[in-house]
Amino acid sequence: MIDLNSDLGEGFGIWRLGDDDALLGIVTSANVACGFHAGDPSTMRRVCRQAASAGVAVGAQVSYRDLAGFGRRFIDADPAELADEVLYQVGALDACARAAGTKVEYVKPHGALYNATVHHDAQAKAVVDGVKAFGDLPVLGLPGSRLLHHAERAGLRAVREAFADRAYTPEATLVPRTQPNAVLTSTDAVLAQVLRLARDGELVAIDGTVLKTRVDSVCLHGDTPGAVEHAREVRGALEREGIPVARFVPR
């Protein structure tokens, strides 16, 4: 069984990014922006309402406070403040989710914060501290990351995640978006990466290194060109292979 998640609700005010409506008909978990890198109260509540209607799990996509940079710039945040900001974001989204008849069921960092928590021990622990202050929610992260290490130590479920549309380094981390070919934009390339991962537990790094890994969830970015087509093809291919596609948190 594999979960398909996507970053949604990443508009702001009148500006929209991606096709939330279409993706909510395909994915099983929605990482909803909580207002720090994108999103606003109306967008958050709308996406939560649509997710609830579609039976899609709602997750809090927490970030550095960086609207201008879309959360893709590292911030040397004080760990205590970062923990409070994570708690704030989860609580805000949970209020919107409960108003829509659902609730926040997991947490995933976004962008630069996600990448920082792979190796930055203090920030990884701060994110977990913020989650734990809210409740015992699962945490999505890169396998082997400090984030998942601290989640497990705190008694939280550590959910291993891979990316359908991102290239990997030989060290099993994501190729920075500032480098060429960091994002897979071809549906065929996305499909090949997900199917090899699902069938064989393997990812192929940008230099050809074969990386052995096991994951619980696969992310399809909502802002990648062709995101809806990618998601539709990935789900169809997994189901044809007899691999059940289902949310990793129980209904």
Side-chain angles (χ1 to χ4, degrees):
M1 186 179 74
I2 200 159
D3 171 72
L4 294 178
N5 75 75
S6 189
D7 299 344
L8 303 179
E10 291 188 311
F12 189 81
I14 64 170
W15 181 66
R16 294 285 183 94
L17 179 67
D19 190 339
D20 293 346
D21 295 349
L23 285 166
L24 282 167
I26 302 168
V27 301
T28 47
S29 296
N31 319 315
V32 184
C34 301
F36 272 34
H37 77 281
D40 56 59
S42 295
T43 301
M44 291 159 64
R45 192 169 182 182
R46 172 179 56 80
V47 175
C48 287
R49 185 166 56 246
Q50 292 170 327
S53 178
V56 172
V58 171
Q61 187 186 187
V62 299
S63 172
Y64 293 127
R65 189 189 295 272
D66 182 27
L67 273 176
F70 197 63
R72 288 182 175 160
R73 302 180 293 191
F74 172 76
I75 295 176
D76 189 14
D78 175 80
E81 291 181 5
L82 181 58
D84 291 342
E85 291 188 341
V86 168
L87 172 62
Y88 178 93
Q89 291 175 80
V90 177
L93 183 65
D94 191 60
C96 293
R98 289 182 183 276
T102 185
K103 61 182 179 180
V104 169
E105 300 192 69
Y106 65 92
V107 177
K108 174 185 170 179
H110 164 81
L113 182 58
Y114 186 99
N115 291 326
T117 59
V118 174
H119 299 298
H120 197 304
D121 198 68
Q123 290 203 0
K125 186 176 185 303
V127 170
V128 171
D129 288 346
V131 175
K132 187 72 175 178
F134 179 84
D136 291 337
L137 296 179
V139 176
L140 264 72
L142 209 65
S145 64
R146 299 308 296 167
L147 177 69
L148 295 192
H149 167 79
H150 283 293
E152 289 179 334
R153 287 195 63 182
L156 306 180
R157 181 180 174 188
V159 182
R160 301 162 299 177
E161 178 186 41
F163 290 80
D165 48 12
R166 291 294 305 276
Y168 281 80
T169 71
E171 294 73 37
T173 59
L174 299 179
V175 173
R177 286 179 178 267
T178 54
Q179 295 185 15
N181 304 313
V183 179
L184 308 183
T185 57
S186 158
T187 300
D188 288 344
V190 169
L191 199 55
Q193 179 148 293
V194 174
L195 287 178
R196 183 162 183 172
L197 178 66
R199 290 170 180 157
D200 306 320
E202 294 178 348
L203 290 165
V204 180
I206 201 163
D207 70 345
T209 301
V210 176
L211 307 168
K212 285 288 187 180
T213 187
R214 291 291 177 184
V215 300
D216 309 295
S217 187
V218 172
C219 178
L220 292 146
H221 282 104
D223 62 339
T224 297
V228 174
E229 181 184 358
H230 296 167
R232 189 175 290 120
E233 289 296 323
V234 164
R235 176 150 191 169
L238 289 171
E239 290 174 342
R240 287 192 296 274
E241 288 284 323
I243 300 167
V245 176
R247 44 193 280 173
F248 69 87
V249 288
R251 290 179 182 272

